[in-house]
Amino acid sequence: MAWATIACNGALVPSISLRFSLLNPLFTPRRISTVHPLPRITICVSAVKRSPKRLKYAAPRLDKGDGMLYVKVDSLGADTWKLEPVIELLKNGAVGAIPTDTVYAIVCDMKSHSAIERLRRIKDIETSKPLSILCHSFRDIDTYTMGFPRGNAQGQTNMFRAVKHCLPGPYTFILAASKELPKQCTKYGATTKYASRKTVGVRMPDDAICQAILEKLDSPLVCTSVKWPTQDEWMIDPVIIADIYEPEGLNFVVDGGIRMADPSTVVAMTGTYPTIIRQGKGPKLDWMVGKDDEGSATPAG
């Protein structure tokens, strides 16, 4: 038996299906007077917000018709087992959005040139623009950079000891790159060149979801903060990120809740003094100097 509800003169009344009225011998239809017109029937249809596509957790692929993987994870990292398909996608060259301790970031495998090229295309970032990397620990920073200045007997500040008090945290430190850092792919028309990077911005986010992904992947991720495609504003809602960037080619989104529109503080460690290039969520510490744009370049993130 099927039932439907209609609005009749402003009141909701149940109507019995045709099948019920024909098959039930106890049902006697009312006689409708021809003197009075039938009441006007109004059918109301409510719109439902489109939710991002979900993929099955098994056998992740990057075919065009696969859609987007959307995984909602507890912000405190209580169910990080859900991240396994995300790890497999990243290993296979996927590009996706994950939460950090500041804003959401679009990330990919640091060693995949094709994935980095797709990330740049999705965000419309020039090949000359430097990208930061997300690190799980100081071991990653020591591997892919020349490290923090350790100080000397002449009174130079031990930056490594100072930085240990603010990492993990909302800072991006620009350091001299080591030979282990993959070369940067630059395109000039039809010509492709690979060159070593002199500097790199490193992040060690204080975020349970981000740290779980980096730990499971056991490798840093190239990253850039998520902004509106046509506006210089941060995107902090993962559902909106999925809706906007899925058509651009994003493979997955990890939903860790809505974040604050507050990026990391960028500090250059390649000069005489640690210099703030961009003031963000991380507070200015006493061993940092004020913003000085001369000879500096802010990484895309």
Side-chain angles (χ1 to χ4, degrees), residues 134-152:
L134 297 176
C135 298
H136 176 253
S137 65
F138 281 99
R139 183 194 65 179
D140 292 334
I141 296 177
D142 290 338
T143 299
Y144 297 102
T145 75
M146 302 303 293
F148 295 94
R150 300 297 179 114
N152 54 35

Side-chain angles (χ1 to χ4, degrees), residues 258-281:
I258 296 177
R259 300 294 157 123
M260 298 296 292
D262 204 358
S264 64
T265 294
V266 181
V267 183
M269 306 288 287
T270 53
T272 306
Y273 304 102
T275 305
I276 295 179
I277 305 301
R278 180 184 70 192
Q279 182 65 60
K281 184 177 179 180

